[in-house]
Amino acid sequence: MADLTRLTAAETAERIASGAVSAVEVTEAHLARIDAVDEKVHAFLHVDREGALAKAREVDGKRARGEQLGPLAGVPLALKDIFTTEGVPTTAGSKILEGWIPPYDATVTRRLKEADVVILGKTNMDEFAMGSSTENSAYGPTGNPWDLTRVPGGSGGGSSAAITAYEAALAIGTDTGGSIRQPAAVTGTVGVKPTYGGVSRYGMVAFSSSLDQAGPCARTVLDAALLHSVIAGHDELDSTSIDRPVPDVVAAARNGSVDGLRVGVVTEFRGEGYQAGVLQRVDETVELLRELGAEIVEVSCPSFTKALAAYYLIAPSECSSNLARFDAMRYGLRVGDDGAHSAEEVTALTRAEGFGDEVKRRIMLGTYALSSGYYDAYYGSAQKVRTLITRDFERAFSQVDVLVSPTTPTTAFPLGERADDPMAMYLADLCTIPANLAGNAAMSVPCGLAPEDGLPVGLQIIAPAMADDRLYRVGAALEAAHQARWGHPLLEEAPSL
Ligand code: GLN
């Protein structure tokens, strides 16, 4: 039989539904693949063998009884370790949550289970989703399957690596400033940050609540759409969840087209600091959009150049408040609980040992930015920039249907290269952050390999809030045109592990 790990999620679901293969066979093939390669890749922090096989047996049972199956029934998925999973460890990449077993499921987890998706396990990530390389994980970095000496992006590098290495057909990520899109770009996969409020944050460990958004990671645009439609939709348990119908992303992914579409190329996202090969592939892809019938215009969004600075005040501010809950009393780690220390001392000792350097840096930055006397100068100014960015988007979307740019300025950088240089690390999200600050929907799709290093390049597509379907229409059209040109999916060029 053909290698079951190479199928798309859509194909896998179809074969399981028709009885051509069983969900147990598919799950076993992926568990075997994890056994074979994950020691090298380190995409997973926890593999839930028993849980995955039990779910697969349940799917096979349902099918045998002729019961209705979900659209992704039996498809194996890797879940970022930031979502609570009842009875299964959840660390958010932090030592402070080591050993914590959540008593409940996140809404995303629950919806995946209800859709009969098989959750293989939890993926590695930068601690509390702070980072762009997965090197800030307390449990060691993940390698990029294209070149294991390079980063798989971050914070969701475990999720992007798992699908790139065929350890899972699908994965879930979260994107606060780019953590779904940037990993997708540097691994040659598809990643989508839905409209803010499109997917419930309930049970997702909070980093920066006004920016955090869960979304799909996949090898094809259609697979991403199928997963998007399973996890999205209103949830009473999240007060920022949007109570409106989810855009029909699956129909859009099945009907890729850019004919007559107005595409704006963001002027600000090129120039110094951008790798030549990245710009070359992005320019070629813009040209391809033109050939496919899109109308291309240049659009200037002047406030985007201030997005990174605003983000690094707003995100740390919110995290300094969100991470106060890790007080040694409620979750996981507790240090100094020996009768010789006061409760305050236990909290301080636990936080000192349980948080990594980047997390501490952000808590300090955020606490400072919110302190009286500095609040207006820092946090207040950043919020004003946020409004200017939103207005830039509004102006842009009065002229065009979608905006495009590189997803990230460079291809996958070597592990260690930026680990001790926070500023260099932060630059990886230069192009992705505006969509988070404004709450828009955005996607990264592969657009080829950079000539200088042979590594994947991603094109970012940004749509207005609640127009997520546009991303899929454009993404699917590009995917089809690119594959016709290359003769195969980009991932087939990845060296085998
Ligand atoms: N790399 C960015 C940061 O470190 C974004 C992270 C994210 O999207 N979770 O904050």
Side-chain angles (χ1 to χ4, degrees):
M1 186 182 296
D3 185 350
L4 295 174
T5 64
R6 297 274 161 163
L7 300 175
T8 67
E11 289 164 349
T12 303
E14 221 172 80
R15 293 204 190 182
I16 290 172
S18 74
V21 287
S22 70
V24 168
E25 286 172 291
V26 170
T27 301
E28 281 173 345
H30 284 85
L31 290 171
R33 177 72 183 163
I34 293 171
D35 288 341
V37 303
D38 207 54
E39 213 173 308
K40 287 186 261 179
V41 179
H42 193 226
F44 284 90
L45 291 178
H46 181 84
V47 178
D48 183 19
R49 217 165 274 275
E50 289 315 308
L53 285 167
K55 185 68 186 184
R57 280 193 292 269
E58 188 189 315
V59 171
D60 289 338
K62 273 191 180 178
R63 193 190 165 272
R65 292 190 299 275
E67 289 172 29
Q68 178 81 31
L69 293 177
L72 288 172
V75 178
L77 172 140
L79 184 59
K80 190 175 182 181
D81 201 25
I82 198 168
F83 293 90
T84 58
T85 39
E86 187 181 343
V88 175
T90 299
T91 67
S94 182
K95 227 171 145 176
I96 213 161
L97 279 172
E98 195 163 26
W100 183 57
I101 313 257
Y104 71 108
D105 278 336
T107 296
V108 164
T109 309
R110 182 173 55 77
R111 289 191 177 169
L112 291 169
K113 289 181 177 175
E114 285 168 3
D116 289 325
V117 170
V118 171
I119 301 175
L120 294 170
K122 312 292 290 288
T123 56
N124 198 17
M125 54 181 284
D126 287 299
E127 185 175 7
F128 290 109
M130 299 173 193
S132 302
S133 68
T134 320
E135 292 165 290
N136 293 335
S137 167
Y139 304 99
T142 296
N144 187 328
W146 284 82
D147 174 350
L148 292 170
T149 69
R150 300 203 174 229
V151 305
S155 62
S159 287
S160 64
I163 56 174
T164 306
Y166 300 96
E167 295 172 83
L170 297 169
I172 298 277
T174 63
D175 193 310
T176 304
S179 285
I180 291 174
R181 290 163 286 162
Q182 182 257 7
V186 301
T187 55
T189 55
V190 179
V192 179
K193 182 199 92 68
T195 298
Y196 180 79
V199 178
S200 172
R201 288 184 296 107
Y202 179 74
M204 200 173 109
V205 179
F207 163 13
S208 179
S209 307
S210 76
L211 302 166
D212 297 343
Q213 192 56 210
C217 311
R219 293 191 292 258
T220 72
V221 172
L222 176 61
D223 284 359
L226 290 165
L227 183 54
H228 188 140
S229 70
V230 160
I231 59 173
H234 182 242
D235 179 18
E236 275 181 3
L237 299 174
D238 172 1
S239 62
T240 57
S241 161
I242 297 172
D243 192 3
R244 270 170 54 189
V246 181
D248 193 347
V249 294
V250 174
R254 291 194 196 278
N255 296 292
S257 156
V258 296
D259 199 26
L261 196 86
R262 297 166 305 165
V263 175
V265 181
V266 181
T267 318
E268 282 71 16
F269 289 153
R270 53 191 311 118
E272 207 192 321
Y274 287 80
Q275 190 178 322
V278 167
L279 293 178
Q280 184 186 331
R281 293 297 179 236
V282 167
D283 289 347
E284 287 164 6
T285 305
V286 170
E287 206 35 55
L288 182 59
L289 285 168
R290 197 196 306 274
E291 285 166 29
L292 294 171
E295 182 193 324
I296 310 291
V297 290
E298 272 230 11
V299 178
S300 173
C301 298
S303 304
F304 285 14
T305 56
K306 301 184 181 69
L308 194 70
Y311 173 88
Y312 277 99
L313 288 165
I314 292 168
S317 294
E318 292 186 16
C319 101
S320 72
S321 161
N322 271 326
L323 268 52
R325 76 193 61 183
F326 300 104
D327 56 3
M329 303 300 144
R330 281 176 264 219
Y331 312 92
L333 190 72
R334 182 179 293 180
V335 179
D337 184 14
D338 50 11
H341 295 96
S342 68
E344 286 76 11
E345 285 166 348
V346 170
T347 300
L349 288 168
T350 302
R351 287 168 69 88
E353 188 168 321
F355 288 141
D357 288 349
E358 184 61 25
V359 173
K360 286 177 183 159
R361 182 179 297 123
R362 306 248 183 146
I363 292 173
M364 287 190 282
L365 253 171
T367 307
Y368 183 74
L370 291 176
S371 59
S372 75
Y374 293 106
Y375 183 95
D376 288 333
Y378 295 118
Y379 185 74
S381 304
Q383 290 290 19
K384 287 179 188 159
V385 171
R386 191 171 189 175
T387 302
L388 293 177
I389 288 166
T390 305
R391 287 192 192 145
D392 274 0
F393 271 122
E394 280 166 7
R395 241 192 327 272
F397 288 128
S398 69
Q399 302 166 49
V400 297
D401 301 303
V402 295
L403 290 168
V404 297
S405 76
T407 304
T408 181
T410 69
T411 55
F413 44 90
L415 282 159
E417 186 187 85
R418 302 189 192 179
D420 300 316
D421 186 350
M423 270 311 288
M425 190 70 85
Y426 296 172
L427 287 172
D429 292 313
L430 200 57
C431 312
T432 44
I433 282 172
N436 298 85
L437 289 171
N440 295 336
M443 170 188 274
S444 180
V445 283
C447 62
L449 304 179
E452 58 270 66
D453 55 21
L455 291 167
V457 176
L459 178 84
Q460 175 176 230
I461 310 164
I462 311 176
M466 291 311 281
D468 306 47
D469 49 335
R470 272 184 219 170
L471 305 174
Y472 288 94
R473 200 163 294 118
V474 178
L478 272 180
E479 181 181 67
H482 268 142
Q483 288 187 18
R485 195 167 272 193
W486 302 328
H488 53 74
L490 190 68
L491 269 187
E492 278 180 23
E493 292 190 39
S496 56
L497 287 166

